Amino acid sequence: MSKRAVNPKELAPPVGFAHGWLVEHAPARTLYLAGQCGYDAQGRVEAPGDLVAQLERALANIGLILRDAGMTFADVVQLNFYVTSRDDYATARKSFGEVWRRHCGKHYPGMAMFEVVSLFDPQARIEVQGVAAQ
Amino acid sequence: MSKRAVNPKELAPPVGFAHGWLVEHAPARTLYLAGQCGYDAQGRVEAPGDLVAQLERALANIGLILRDAGMTFADVVQLNFYVTSRDDYATARKSFGEVWRRHCGKHYPGMAMFEVVSLFDPQARIEVQGVAAQ
Amino acid sequence: MSKRAVNPKELAPPVGFAHGWLVEHAPARTLYLAGQCGYDAQGRVEAPGDLVAQLERALANIGLILRDAGMTFADVVQLNFYVTSRDDYATARKSFGEVWRRHCGKHYPGMAMFEVVSLFDPQARIEVQGVAAQ
């Protein structure tokens, strides 16, 4: 058995958390993700106010975490979207679909969307968190 | 190892998500659920405004997902209730207990309730999401 | 395979939920936590209005659940903070770090913070929920 934090070098070094934890009992491998926003390499929200661009970047970031865990989006089994505006999410749904398919193809995990009051970063309009398994 | 989406034929075909994902490393089996609301077979909230009826239907739907995964409610180990009104939830708690026992008997997972601003479907007053394991 | 509820004797007996569920497929062990607030042994929020004290107690409670599962905080792989005020959380962050290190040392899981409208207990200002694995 082994267990390790997964912190891709392309992402801002996490302070007080890890971007993900990989638990391995060969051959079973489970990756637990931290909440991921549309952060750039300096840990700043890249596109304040742009929900779709933030999703794009959050998924790109998660893609790097999956890569470092030897996984792909096809391994993601549960994924939640926490948003600050349900209405903006609904309006953006078609663009969301395009962004999703660009990163994840036609793979669809068990998902949910929750509108919360706020996320930790006041610039963040979406945070994505989930679990992947091989 | 095998991994598959679990989409019972009695539920509305999911668009852009799966109702659940089953991960198997024999003999270990883990089921990750999507958020489930009180949807009818057409994917519409069956009882707008009726929190208890929505819980009843959400649990019935989850029961079908569990069945398709070869599981029962006794296998659910973590379950969250996301509601649009904490006060309505508190008021309905006795009825919730009755609905719960009808579906789940005396099995109680690790649970939590969170009042969120809104769920994706404006008619939904509760969404249930969790994990089951065998 | 075995699966059991984990309800430490020092915590208030849970009504309608379990404090945690331990799933074992030797040697793999996974612990799913219920949402945990800053409850005392009678199940009352110990320090109404005091976010940092509530975190301290919630972590202490989780520590007992981990102990009963034969685990420690070093096994926690995913942990979410649900708070009723993002701003209070941000203000308290330094104190949060001290409390964290006292309980968890330098171990940091995959984490997220979500500001919700309310938690089940009106006195609770933070609820902590996650997963641990060995």
Side-chain angles (χ1 to χ4, degrees):
Chain A
M1 187 272 178
S2 73
K3 190 164 53 186
R4 66 175 174 89
V6 181
N7 292 312
K9 65 181 191 309
E10 293 91 341
L11 302 186
V15 177
F17 68 99
H19 286 297
W21 270 86
L22 179 64
V23 179
E24 300 189 79
H25 283 277
R29 312 174 78 240
T30 310
L31 176 68
Y32 296 90
L33 294 168
Q36 188 65 231
C37 297
Y39 293 126
D40 65 17
Q42 282 72 48
R44 290 176 302 227
V45 171
E46 189 179 50
D50 186 336
L51 177 60
V52 175
Q54 290 189 21
L55 172 70
E56 176 102 51
R57 184 70 192 233
L59 290 182
N61 291 346
I62 289 173
L64 295 170
I65 301 166
L66 289 164
R67 179 206 63 190
D68 273 16
M71 295 183 169
T72 71
F73 273 106
D75 297 309
V76 176
V77 289
Q78 194 178 49
L79 204 68
N80 285 349
F81 292 161
Y82 299 88
V83 299
T84 56
S85 166
R86 179 262 168 215
D87 289 349
D88 289 353
Y89 174 88
T91 301
R93 236 197 153 188
K94 195 181 167 198
S95 301
F96 259 57
E98 293 166 4
V99 170
W100 181 267
R101 285 187 294 277
R102 191 150 59 238
H103 288 272
C104 312
K106 292 181 176 176
H107 173 73
Y108 297 109
M111 299 176 86
M113 183 227 79
F114 303 112
E115 180 182 343
V116 294
V117 180
S118 72
L119 303 167
F120 179 69
D121 190 315
Q123 304 285 10
R125 301 185 64 193
I126 185 167
E127 187 158 343
V128 183
Q129 188 177 39
V131 178
Q134 275 182 338
Chain B
M1 187 272 177
S2 72
K3 187 164 58 185
R4 66 176 174 90
V6 181
N7 292 312
K9 65 181 190 310
E10 293 91 341
L11 302 186
V15 178
F17 67 98
H19 287 296
W21 269 86
L22 179 64
V23 179
E24 301 189 78
H25 284 277
R29 312 173 79 241
T30 309
L31 176 68
Y32 296 89
L33 294 168
Q36 188 65 232
C37 297
Y39 293 126
D40 65 16
Q42 283 71 47
R44 290 177 300 229
V45 171
E46 188 179 50
D50 187 335
L51 177 61
V52 175
Q54 290 189 22
L55 173 70
E56 177 103 50
R57 184 70 191 233
L59 290 182
N61 291 346
I62 290 174
L64 295 170
I65 301 165
L66 289 164
R67 180 207 63 190
D68 273 16
M71 295 183 170
T72 71
F73 274 107
D75 296 310
V76 177
V77 289
Q78 194 178 50
L79 204 68
N80 286 348
F81 292 161
Y82 299 87
V83 300
T84 57
S85 166
R86 179 261 167 213
D87 289 349
D88 289 353
Y89 175 87
T91 301
R93 236 197 152 187
K94 195 182 166 195
S95 301
F96 259 58
E98 293 166 5
V99 169
W100 181 266
R101 285 186 294 276
R102 191 149 60 237
H103 288 272
C104 312
K106 293 182 174 175
H107 173 74
Y108 297 109
M111 299 176 86
M113 184 227 78
F114 303 112
E115 180 182 343
V116 294
V117 180
S118 72
L119 303 167
F120 178 69
D121 190 314
Q123 304 285 10
R125 301 185 63 193
I126 186 167
E127 186 158 343
V128 184
Q129 188 176 40
V131 178
Q134 275 182 337
Chain C
M1 188 271 178
S2 73
K3 188 164 56 185
R4 66 176 174 88
V6 181
N7 293 311
K9 64 181 192 309
E10 293 91 341
L11 302 187
V15 177
F17 67 98
H19 287 296
W21 270 86
L22 179 64
V23 179
E24 301 189 79
H25 283 278
R29 312 174 79 241
T30 309
L31 175 68
Y32 296 90
L33 295 168
Q36 189 65 232
C37 297
Y39 293 126
D40 64 16
Q42 283 72 47
R44 290 176 303 227
V45 170
E46 189 178 51
D50 186 336
L51 177 61
V52 176
Q54 290 189 21
L55 172 71
E56 176 102 49
R57 185 69 191 234
L59 290 183
N61 291 347
I62 290 174
L64 295 171
I65 301 166
L66 289 164
R67 179 207 63 191
D68 273 17
M71 295 183 168
T72 70
F73 273 106
D75 296 310
V76 177
V77 288
Q78 195 178 49
L79 203 69
N80 286 349
F81 292 161
Y82 299 88
V83 300
T84 57
S85 166
R86 178 262 167 214
D87 289 349
D88 289 354
Y89 175 86
T91 302
R93 237 198 150 185
K94 195 181 165 195
S95 301
F96 259 57
E98 293 166 4
V99 169
W100 181 266
R101 286 187 293 276
R102 192 149 60 237
H103 288 272
C104 312
K106 292 182 176 175
H107 173 73
Y108 297 109
M111 300 176 85
M113 184 228 78
F114 302 112
E115 180 182 343
V116 294
V117 180
S118 71
L119 303 167
F120 179 69
D121 189 315
Q123 304 284 9
R125 301 185 63 194
I126 185 167
E127 187 159 342
V128 184
Q129 187 176 39
V131 178
Q134 275 182 337

